[in-house]
Amino acid sequence: MMSFVAAGSQCFCSSSLALGPRPTSASRPKTRRAREARAALVEARPPPAPARVIRPAVRDANLIVGGDRTEDLQAEARAMARAVNASVYSPEVLAVQYGSRPIKVLRRTLEILTGLGSFGLKLLLDKRNGVFDQKKGIRAAELRRIFTRLGPTFVKLGQGLSTRPDICPPEYLEELAELQDALPTFPDAEAFSCIERELGLPLDSIFSSISPSPIAAASLGQVYKAQLAYSGQTVAVKVQRPGIEEAIGLDFYLIRGLGFFINKYVDIITSDVVALIDEFARRVYQELNYVQEGQNARRFKKLYADREDILVPDIFWDYTSGKVLTMEWVDGVKLNEQDAIERQGLKVLDLVNTGIQCSLRQLLEYGYFHADPHPGNLLATPEGKLAFLDFGMMSETPEEARFAIIGHVVHMVNRDYEAMARDYYALDFLSRDVDVSPIVPALRNFFDDALNYTVSELNFKTLVNGLGAVFYQYPFNVPAYYALILRSLTVLEGLALYADPNFKVLAASYPYFAKRLLTDPNPYLRDALIELLFKDGRFRWNRLENLLVQGSKDRDFSANDALQPVLKLLLGPDGEQLQILVIKEAVRVTEAVVIGTVVDTYNSIPNVVRALIFNANVAGPLTVSDSEIDSMMALRDQVFRIWGLLRSSQDFDPALLQPILQVNTVVL
């Protein structure tokens, strides 16, 4: 007989799943199968775990080679075959399916209208009474409670809206971000029956033990902790909620109809609401296909789990289908449980920094990223690794936008608000026919105040809220990828602030941006680097020093890599103008070194000898003003510091600078 064990209190496999109330025994089906399952839960005892057997189909995806890789692909193909009938979002199909079921549609419509209609009426009264702005916080909290009561689709919708600063005011963004998937579990007998039906095997031939109740439950499914029968390995088994496709299909059919109404009659929302609903619905439907989630996890693991401080659980394809997902169990603590993390001897800030660096790589390198960013989806493992979970909702950053984001940071540093406004074309925030000139004053008003501090001292949440206010006032259409990444970094900063109230996520991010600017050969980023370093025909040594200081904090920084893009541009066919600027700077630096040497020598001479040699001339041998001397000395010292930063890099080769010297020699 099969045995069952309960899950531990600090082991989580899918942090987006919040434990909900258990159903009463009266609500369970009184079937023979259910009675047998309950009896097994009470009476069975776990047998000794069988010897661990490593099957090629479930080995680490990064270690699979040769025949093992073939078997793994075959297991994945079998899982895909089991999910061949997984639902795909189609507005046309939903219209046909529910257009002929008026009673069901009417009943659900009344439920939704009762909740949202009363909310809308309150908004109208607030506006009529002149208290619309004052009551935004109260109404936002009410909307969060309404979404929770309306069920899974609206919980997901609220979470999606919490990442849309172009639709919701800041008060709503903050309140909706608190939505958690806290729903009742469904009967265990139904879950176990689903596993057997989906995998085509008896439950006791798959697992030697499984928790008697779900260790977590959410809107789309619930999770059990189990041990595989063939190996004894501990796994997490996610089982989809019965009837969830029917429920969300009907809701999206109705919500889409509401979207048409909003597009036509609500002027304060400038985005295409129907398009946003369709995009969001496609993502939710993707979450319903657990094979797709497994493939997402594998892809994410391949791209980002190459770091020793990142953990991504692997997938067991032989026990995965469209409605059942079996993955490696991860022991860990949710990242927002600071006390539990510190009891393990770990530091929250170290884990947050790991999350920030991984998020930046997701956003700006490969462009494939986790699109459901909230604290519960990040675990701190006992070994100090950051584990990513729940890969049902993923997104991608367009290649052009990846470089435009870095350029946008450069323009922000330079306070070039006209260029910042034009960046929104490349970021796909605005269509090319929109005039950005009215947006420039709004950006200037916000950033002139925000940039009283250095960029690394800015509070990211303040920055996001400020930009959100600008987006809300003008015809922006914030792409989903950008809104989700903003939310991800804001969440990470919020977690860090519990441990350190002075933490700034931009300070933690800046080394990555500096490294990319200094080392990436992409033409767009080379232009951005030159724009940052040169102004009005003069080289800004302080900017280069700051970039090197920040970039060297990134563990992947290489001084040789930092010089390569500049050298290619300088020696390339389009580098003539840059060569002239470099030559001018070389002359300035040479003068500064010579004058600095003279001043140092002069200062080293005893006062008596100095008076005899220079006839008591306080300026010594120089005919320049004290302010010019101070400027030259500062330049020389800065160049020496930069040289020291380059030499401190382990792989720095001074011979790389030879082409620059040759350029100056040839021209001079």
Side-chain angles (χ1 to χ4, degrees):
M1 181 181 291
M2 181 179 177
S3 62
F4 299 80
V5 296
S9 61
Q10 287 191 357
C11 300
F12 305 92
C13 62
S14 182
S15 53
S16 67
L17 305 174
L19 189 62
R22 298 288 299 138
T24 64
S25 59
S27 67
R28 296 176 182 264
K30 303 297 185 179
T31 63
R32 180 172 179 272
R33 180 175 186 80
R35 289 193 298 272
E36 290 176 352
R38 285 197 296 274
L41 298 181
V42 175
E43 297 172 5
R45 295 290 183 269
R52 181 180 177 83
V53 179
I54 301 297
R55 287 179 51 165
V58 294
R59 287 184 182 175
D60 190 318
N62 295 329
L63 302 177
I64 296 173
V65 294
D68 291 349
R69 176 61 176 164
T70 300
E71 185 169 345
D72 184 73
L73 289 173
Q74 291 174 347
E76 183 179 353
R78 290 192 294 269
M80 292 175 64
R82 288 190 287 269
V84 69
N85 294 320
S87 297
V88 177
Y89 176 69
S90 170
E92 296 77 16
V93 171
L94 292 180
V96 172
Q97 183 177 354
Y98 295 107
S100 59
R101 303 168 70 180
I103 296 178
K104 189 176 186 66
V105 170
L106 179 60
R107 185 183 301 118
R108 182 57 175 167
T109 300
L110 291 175
E111 291 179 18
I112 296 173
L113 288 179
T114 301
L116 296 182
S118 61
F119 176 76
L121 181 61
K122 290 179 182 178
L123 290 182
L124 290 175
L125 291 175
D126 289 345
K127 197 166 187 179
R128 178 175 296 179
N129 296 331
V131 294
F132 185 81
D133 291 334
Q134 296 92 312
K135 289 197 172 183
K136 278 183 180 177
I138 296 174
R139 298 299 177 232
E142 288 183 7
L143 184 61
R144 173 177 55 80
R145 291 191 291 269
I146 290 170
F147 279 171
T148 302
R149 287 197 302 269
L150 288 176
T153 310
F154 286 86
V155 169
K156 289 287 184 184
L157 180 62
Q159 290 177 338
L161 288 174
S162 72
T163 69
R164 305 298 310 205
D166 54 331
I167 297 177
C168 297
E171 295 85 353
Y172 284 79
L173 296 177
E174 188 168 345
E175 193 68 40
L176 293 177
E178 295 182 7
L179 276 172
Q180 296 295 325
D181 290 348
L183 295 174
T185 61
F186 58 90
D188 302 316
E190 291 188 31
F192 299 153
S193 178
C194 177
I195 294 173
E196 293 183 328
R197 184 172 60 252
E198 287 288 307
L199 302 182
L201 294 169
L203 201 63
D204 55 4
S205 69
I206 305 172
F207 306 116
S208 60
S209 64
I210 190 168
S211 56
S213 59
I215 55 95
S219 56
L220 302 185
Q222 60 194 32
V223 175
Y224 295 84
K225 184 179 182 180
Q227 283 187 315
L228 293 176
Y230 80 89
S231 68
Q233 184 167 353
T234 304
V235 294
V237 186
K238 182 156 70 170
V239 186
Q240 195 168 109
R241 186 176 292 275
I244 190 66
E245 295 179 22
E246 173 80 9
I248 67 170
L250 175 56
D251 282 347
F252 277 122
Y253 169 73
L254 295 172
I255 294 170
R256 196 170 190 269
L258 179 63
F260 282 109
F261 178 84
I262 293 174
N263 278 351
K264 187 173 182 179
Y265 297 108
V266 181
D267 296 332
I268 61 173
I269 298 179
T270 57
S271 300
D272 184 346
V273 176
V274 173
L276 293 175
I277 291 171
D278 285 343
E279 176 185 335
F280 181 71
R282 278 191 291 271
R283 294 182 185 279
V284 174
Y285 266 76
Q286 287 173 4
E287 286 192 80
L288 293 178
N289 185 349
Y290 286 175
V291 171
Q292 180 64 56
E293 179 175 347
Q295 291 172 326
N296 293 342
R298 273 287 179 89
R299 182 180 176 188
F300 191 91
K301 185 182 184 76
K302 182 178 180 181
L303 292 177
Y304 307 116
D306 56 336
R307 306 298 184 94
E308 60 183 12
D309 50 8
I310 296 292
L311 174 65
V312 178
D314 203 21
I315 305 301
F316 292 79
W317 293 118
D318 285 326
Y319 309 120
T320 294
S321 71
K323 296 182 179 181
V324 176
L325 175 64
T326 303
M327 62 195 307
E328 180 184 357
W329 178 266
V330 177
D331 285 326
V333 179
K334 292 181 180 180
L335 208 59
N336 57 355
E337 298 181 1
Q338 182 180 342
D339 292 341
I341 291 174
E342 291 178 349
R343 283 197 298 270
Q344 296 186 27
L346 305 176
K347 294 182 179 179
V348 173
L349 289 182
D350 291 343
L351 293 159
V352 168
N353 272 312
T354 298
I356 290 171
Q357 299 306 314
C358 189
S359 294
L360 291 170
R361 290 183 69 201
Q362 293 175 52
L363 172 62
L364 299 174
E365 287 184 23
Y366 300 106
Y368 182 71
F369 65 89
H370 199 292
D372 191 13
H374 61 76
N377 277 340
L378 300 171
L379 298 188
T381 72
E383 300 78 22
K385 294 185 178 184
L386 180 66
F388 283 81
L389 304 174
D390 200 342
F391 301 92
M393 191 177 288
M394 308 295 289
S395 189
E396 298 194 47
T397 310
E399 185 175 12
E400 182 183 10
R402 296 177 217 166
F403 301 117
I405 290 171
I406 299 177
H408 198 59
V409 173
V410 172
H411 296 146
M412 181 178 68
V413 172
N414 286 343
R415 303 192 185 212
D416 188 347
Y417 303 123
E418 289 80 6
M420 282 185 70
R422 291 193 297 272
D423 288 337
Y424 295 129
Y425 294 137
L427 290 169
D428 201 25
F429 283 22
L430 296 170
S431 61
R432 298 281 177 175
D433 58 349
V434 174
D435 179 16
V436 297
S437 56
I439 300 170
V440 174
L443 292 172
R444 181 177 289 110
N445 290 338
F446 172 70
F447 281 104
D448 276 347
D449 180 54
L451 292 177
N452 285 333
Y453 304 97
T454 63
V455 173
S456 62
E457 293 176 321
L458 281 176
N459 182 288
F460 191 78
K461 186 175 185 300
T462 300
L463 186 63
V464 171
N465 287 344
L467 282 175
V470 175
F471 294 163
Y472 187 65
Q473 294 173 17
Y474 294 93
F476 282 88
N477 182 25
V478 179
Y481 72 84
Y482 189 79
L484 290 167
I485 285 293
L486 287 182
R487 181 189 175 196
S488 176
L489 294 177
T490 303
V491 166
L492 287 169
E493 183 176 60
L495 291 170
L497 289 174
Y498 283 107
D500 180 7
N502 297 316
F503 181 86
K504 300 293 185 292
V505 72
L506 284 177
S509 304
Y510 203 57
Y512 177 88
F513 281 98
K515 181 202 72 173
R516 286 292 300 275
L517 273 177
L518 287 169
T519 62
D520 200 306
N522 179 271
Y524 186 97
L525 296 187
R526 288 208 304 262
D527 291 344
L529 177 62
I530 292 171
E531 181 183 339
L532 183 67
L533 296 179
F534 287 92
K535 184 177 183 181
D536 300 328
R538 299 292 292 271
F539 189 83
R540 296 192 278 190
W541 292 93
N542 62 319
R543 289 285 172 83
L544 177 59
E545 181 181 8
N546 185 45
L547 284 175
L548 288 170
V549 168
Q550 295 295 331
S552 61
K553 296 177 182 178
D554 189 282
R555 62 184 176 187
D556 294 332
F557 176 78
S558 164
N560 283 356
D561 291 344
L563 291 172
Q564 293 292 349
V566 177
L567 290 174
K568 288 180 180 178
L569 188 61
L570 178 63
L571 302 176
D574 301 325
E576 183 176 349
Q577 185 177 2
L578 182 60
Q579 291 173 13
I580 296 172
L581 293 175
V582 169
I583 292 166
K584 289 181 180 179
E585 285 303 312
V587 172
R588 284 185 66 224
V589 171
T590 302
E591 290 177 351
V593 172
V594 171
I595 290 176
T597 302
V598 171
V599 170
D600 287 345
T601 303
Y602 175 75
N603 290 334
S604 67
I605 299 174
N607 290 337
V608 175
V609 178
R610 191 188 307 165
L612 291 173
I613 296 176
F614 300 108
N615 297 320
N617 182 2
V618 294
L622 303 176
T623 59
V624 295
S625 66
D626 289 347
S627 62
E628 289 178 301
I629 291 176
D630 291 342
S631 176
M632 288 291 186
M633 294 289 287
L635 174 60
R636 184 199 66 163
D637 293 344
Q638 197 160 48
V639 171
F640 283 174
R641 288 197 300 271
I642 291 171
W643 176 249
L645 287 169
L646 290 172
R647 293 190 63 184
S648 66
S649 180
Q650 294 181 354
D651 65 343
F652 176 61
D653 181 6
L656 284 173
L657 296 175
Q658 186 175 353
I660 297 179
L661 299 176
Q662 291 175 342
V663 168
N664 286 284
T665 302
V666 170
V667 177
L668 293 173

